[in-house]
Amino acid sequence: MLAFSDTVRGRIVDGVLAIEIDHPPVNALSIDVRAGLSAALRRGRDTPDVDAMVITGAGKIFIGGADIREFGQPPAEPILPAIVAAIEASAKPVVAAINGAALGGGLEVALAAHRRIAMPSATFAAPEVKLGIVPGAGGTQRLPRLIGIPAAIDLIANGRTIGAEEALKLDILDRIETGDLLAAAIGEARALMGKPLRRTGECQAPALPHEAIDTAEKKALARARGQIAPREAVRLVRLAAERPLPEGLAEERATFLRLRDSEQAAALRHVFFAERAAAKVEGLESVTPRDARTIGIVGLGLMGSGIATAVLDAGLTVIAVEQNEDAASKGRVRIEGLLDRSLQSGRIDAAGRQERLSRLSTSGDMTALKDADLIIEAVFDDLDVKTNLFQRLDDVVRPEAILATNTSYLDPDRIATTTARPERVLGLHFFSPANVMRLVEVVRCARTAPDVLAAGVAFAKRLRKLPIVCGVTEGFIGNRIFSAYRREAEFLLEDGALPHQIDAAMEEYGFAMGPFAVFDLAGLEIAWARRKRQAATRDPKERYVDIPDRLCEAGRFGQKTGRGWYLYQDGKRVIDPEVTAMIEAARAAKGLAPRAISAGEITQRLLAAMATEGTALLSEGIAARPSDIDLVMINGYGFPAHKGGPMFVAERMKEQRT
Ligand code: 3H9
């Protein structure tokens, strides 16, 4: 065994130097790995006992990319582009034996090899844009030379992950090996000896077909809203057809280094590590989650059927219950409809749809839930309805079964305390549409048992969602911050801004929709009902904006009624002078003189309102860390990921001031 560094070793088999990267958890290309790879390549190049080389990874990952933790520091030698260049230039054949994920720099290492073979389970991605950067070791120049410009734009500017089959079709891979990968790679390397080597960088990327290139570009940039990296990625990939390799590589490197130090990259790195931190819940480190394989769902409206679909997508069994057989079969039709949409979009095939439905049973009888491990209620958001339901469930379900409420605003502790076993109750707050939205707030009630909470987290992860654990408060993390955001947006109206000006400022900042467009989409009546409920206990000294009440009183409930903060004509959102007049009248009634409010002030005040509420949630112990709040707002409320979330923004502003 040859040790090239602490994380890279090798052995010579039949004249082939098999180089293995062993750097858990993801074989990231940290300085020690780069040093080891460099040394291994030199050893392979300089000694006559080696005729060819194979590069592979230990464990389930080939190479997880550059070490993201090193991004805050200046690049240290040997840098990855030099290693990649050495692989490609090697006179002796180099084969990449791809044993798992080949991501970012890992894909770039593979692209530089003279042949690529992979296990069927291998995956491939250039996910750099998700970190606010572009590939920095030749990815934007080599991938298009191998697979053409349109396909390279699709992969690099979207950061899309593909499996081995697709990689083979695209020509990223030369072969999929179902047997012994390393032995096969050694065989391939020997077979290449003495033959002309195919060097990716020497291939010609055709600048055609123009239409396909433009379509790929448009598609990628449509999703990129405000993000710099996808735009730069497209520019660089196009260069691959226009400029010689060294020029393209130089431009890529300069862009990579510039973006690596950008504010957007810092924000997206924060999001990456925030997601990993969220998975670690204090107090659950050594807790084994209670089993949750058979999932009961009560209520098959929009939310319940969405949750059921997400559970079926995750390969689990669903027992769905409605008030009677008729409602149950309507629920089944709704779930089938959601699966049909997945079928139409190509996400699943007909067999997959059928297989999912074979794991679904629907019933109008509550006793069908007797075998469920976890029961999620998604019924009407009313305390009496929910407590009554949970009490009935107590008599039906197994004693160790978990009961979860999907309430948005009610107090889950009040629901829990009415049951026989409050320790098995928790909140699982999904976001609509539940089969699409990634966020799930996992609510720890006062008496939730640790293995029940752990089961909630594990279940959400099983659904490939992002669980954020939080404590009990009205609206949990997301809706509480959203209420503060709403409040401040309403203050801005009274102070002088109009809905479309506020929306434009937030959309310019990076939100897909401004707050008033969102209110109209969601409907204004639920917030109105809440305000009416709270009216009796509201502090009269508290600033209260009654414009939304006037809108509701006028029957303007948002998009579904064709009128809300805007007027909806032929599906288009237009400014409504009637609303402007209502706002002006409300200001006049309070004797408020409107003033011109800049877009900068609008974003600054709305961001500050979110951060202030976030700080309150932290001090109350509702949220465990600021980054959890950022993730909630990004994944549930459209906060632009490339800004990092309200808490990250507030922290950066504080740093800049000091
Ligand atoms: C790049 O390559 C740039 C190049 O083009 C240019 C170079 C010049 N670095 O996600 P997990 C940590 S950009 C450092 O829970 P999984 C992670 O923080 C890079 N650390 O595991 C966590 O640590 P902890 C392009 C990393 O099995 C632990 O590993 N690459 C890195 O669910 C486990 O992570 C990417 O963007 C890293 N690259 O998923 C890939 N990756 O335990 C990013 C992970 O302390 N990574 N960690 O919390 C992933 O997508 C997933 O981690 C992966 C494994 C799919 C690999």
Side-chain angles (χ1 to χ4, degrees):
M1 185 65 70
L2 306 161
F4 298 111
S5 72
D6 288 346
T7 52
V8 180
R9 57 177 170 255
R11 65 196 162 98
I12 299 171
V13 185
D14 279 348
V16 177
L17 173 61
I19 303 165
E20 186 183 55
I21 299 166
D22 187 2
H23 183 36
V26 301
N27 292 338
L29 293 158
S30 318
I31 176 71
D32 187 74
V33 173
R34 299 200 303 278
L37 267 177
S38 259
L41 290 165
R42 272 198 308 276
R43 170 73 165 80
R45 182 192 64 192
D46 295 341
T47 52
D49 58 343
V50 172
D51 301 315
M53 289 170 264
V54 164
I55 301 175
T56 194
K60 290 208 167 91
I61 287 178
F62 173 63
I63 299 172
D67 185 339
I68 301 169
R69 288 176 209 278
E70 286 181 4
F71 280 177
Q73 307 147 25
E77 303 274 349
I79 58 170
L80 192 61
I83 295 167
V84 164
I87 294 171
E88 188 167 80
S90 169
K92 298 177 184 176
V94 182
V95 173
I98 304 162
N99 55 299
L103 309 176
L107 177 63
E108 291 170 306
V109 166
L111 291 174
H114 306 123
R115 207 164 157 76
R116 286 161 288 281
I117 71 169
M119 281 183 175
S121 58
T123 54
F124 302 80
E128 285 88 345
V129 292
K130 294 187 178 163
L131 295 166
I133 54 173
V134 290
T140 65
Q141 303 306 299
R142 290 196 177 84
L143 194 61
R145 283 177 160 81
L146 207 54
I147 68 173
I149 307 274
I153 288 180
D154 172 33
L155 287 186
I156 298 177
N158 293 308
R160 190 164 74 83
T161 301
I162 58 171
E165 282 293 340
E166 191 174 348
L168 185 68
K169 262 193 224 140
L170 282 173
D171 274 346
I172 292 176
L173 269 184
D174 295 299
R175 193 179 123 192
I176 293 176
E177 172 60 45
T178 49
D180 183 338
L181 178 72
L182 191 60
I186 289 170
E188 294 265 357
R190 290 206 62 79
L192 286 180
M193 279 159 45
K195 297 212 179 98
L197 298 174
R198 184 186 186 218
R199 295 190 167 83
T200 311
E202 290 173 1
C203 301
Q204 182 61 43
L208 293 166
H210 293 302
E211 261 174 36
I213 295 174
D214 292 344
T215 308
E217 170 168 342
K218 246 191 226 135
K219 213 167 137 193
L221 297 187
R223 287 196 210 117
R225 257 197 346 265
Q227 289 184 58
I228 300 163
R231 202 165 287 282
E232 289 289 51
V234 170
R235 181 178 67 82
L236 291 166
V237 170
R238 278 179 175 275
L239 272 190
E242 297 159 9
R243 299 283 162 78
L245 183 70
E247 260 184 56
L249 289 178
E251 185 55 28
E252 179 197 78
R253 184 72 184 164
T255 310
F256 167 77
L257 291 174
R258 174 164 48 81
L259 293 190
R260 203 189 66 151
D261 296 334
S262 69
E263 199 54 27
Q264 291 198 358
L268 287 164
R269 272 202 301 279
H270 162 73
V271 173
F272 178 84
F273 288 116
E275 289 193 7
R276 271 77 202 163
K280 299 180 180 89
V281 182
E282 207 186 320
L284 296 188
E285 297 83 358
S286 50
V287 175
T288 308
R290 228 179 254 191
D291 228 13
R293 287 165 203 277
T294 300
I295 311 301
I297 295 172
V298 186
L300 289 179
L302 191 67
M303 184 55 93
S305 53
I307 298 172
T309 308
V311 177
L312 293 171
D313 281 341
L316 301 170
T317 301
V318 173
I319 305 169
V321 170
E322 258 292 355
Q323 284 176 5
N324 53 50
E325 289 303 334
D326 185 42
S329 38
K330 283 194 181 119
R332 172 177 276 273
V333 170
R334 219 167 275 134
I335 296 168
E336 285 172 351
L338 291 173
L339 291 174
D340 285 342
R341 263 192 244 165
S342 299
L343 186 66
Q344 279 149 19
S345 70
R347 231 170 45 79
I348 60 172
D349 58 18
R353 178 184 182 278
Q354 212 40 48
E355 191 278 325
R356 281 167 175 75
L357 287 174
S358 73
R359 284 184 276 107
L360 168 70
S361 60
T362 48
S363 170
D365 178 3
M366 185 92 91
T367 57
L369 294 168
K370 63 182 184 346
D371 295 325
D373 303 314
L374 162 66
I375 297 95
I376 306 167
E377 70 73 17
V379 299
F380 186 61
D381 213 16
D382 176 272
L383 191 64
D384 290 339
V385 173
K386 297 209 190 233
T387 47
N388 186 287
L389 171 68
F390 270 43
Q391 284 163 359
R392 275 158 61 216
L393 285 172
D394 262 342
D395 300 332
V396 172
V397 304
R398 289 187 287 110
E400 68 279 16
I402 299 167
L403 299 181
T405 169
N406 179 54
T407 183
S408 305
Y409 281 105
L410 301 173
D411 180 350
D413 273 329
R414 286 185 65 190
I415 302 173
T417 45
T418 62
T419 68
R421 295 182 177 81
E423 63 282 359
R424 66 165 166 182
V425 177
L426 84 165
L428 285 178
H429 183 215
F430 286 83
F431 288 71
S432 193
N435 55 322
V436 176
M437 297 286 281
R438 247 182 111 211
L439 178 65
V440 180
E441 286 176 313
V442 180
V443 186
R444 186 201 303 246
C445 301
R447 295 187 53 192
T448 305
D451 65 337
V452 169
L453 187 69
V457 172
F459 169 68
K461 279 194 202 154
R462 176 80 199 253
L463 265 51
R464 303 183 66 177
K465 299 206 177 286
L466 178 66
I468 302 290
V469 173
C470 67
V472 174
T473 182
E474 186 172 337
F476 312 119
I477 296 176
N479 278 337
R480 237 185 82 175
I481 296 192
F482 194 68
S483 293
Y485 178 59
R486 177 193 287 270
R487 209 164 41 235
E488 193 63 32
E490 292 168 358
F491 293 166
L492 281 164
L493 289 181
E494 278 192 346
D495 293 348
L498 287 171
H500 67 275
Q501 292 164 340
I502 298 170
D503 282 357
M506 297 318 278
E507 285 162 20
E508 177 59 31
Y509 182 76
F511 280 79
M513 285 171 109
F516 292 96
V518 170
F519 303 153
D520 271 359
L521 186 68
L524 307 185
E525 70 284 2
I526 295 178
W528 188 34
R530 276 187 60 229
R531 284 196 303 276
K532 283 196 277 194
R533 271 202 310 275
Q534 292 163 345
T537 52
R538 189 174 300 123
D539 179 353
K541 290 199 286 294
E542 193 183 292
R543 183 173 177 184
Y544 180 77
V545 179
D546 55 13
I547 304 167
D549 297 341
R550 298 290 93 81
L551 257 69
C552 290
E553 286 157 11
R556 309 184 66 110
F557 294 126
Q559 212 166 316
K560 61 184 161 221
T561 53
R563 298 176 331 146
W565 291 102
Y566 294 93
L567 198 60
Y568 294 86
Q569 286 172 340
D570 306 323
K572 268 178 109 186
R573 189 192 335 153
V574 291
I575 299 168
D576 189 345
E578 223 177 85
V579 174
T580 308
M582 287 165 100
I583 294 168
E584 283 166 357
R587 287 177 194 147
K590 283 195 183 175
L592 295 168
R595 61 181 175 84
I597 299 183
S598 69
E601 181 181 339
I602 292 170
T603 43
Q604 187 273 327
R605 278 177 58 179
L606 289 175
L607 292 174
M610 286 190 246
T612 304
E613 194 66 16
T615 305
L617 286 166
L618 288 166
S619 66
E620 292 165 32
I622 303 296
R625 34 178 113 72
S627 60
D628 283 358
I629 296 174
D630 288 336
L631 292 178
V632 167
M633 298 319 289
I634 289 168
N635 292 282
Y637 298 83
F639 198 103
H642 61 276
K643 300 283 187 184
M647 305 312 282
F648 178 80
V649 172
E651 190 56 35
R652 292 296 264 209
M653 278 161 63
K654 207 160 86 190
E655 279 166 21
Q656 277 160 15
R657 279 197 298 270
T658 52

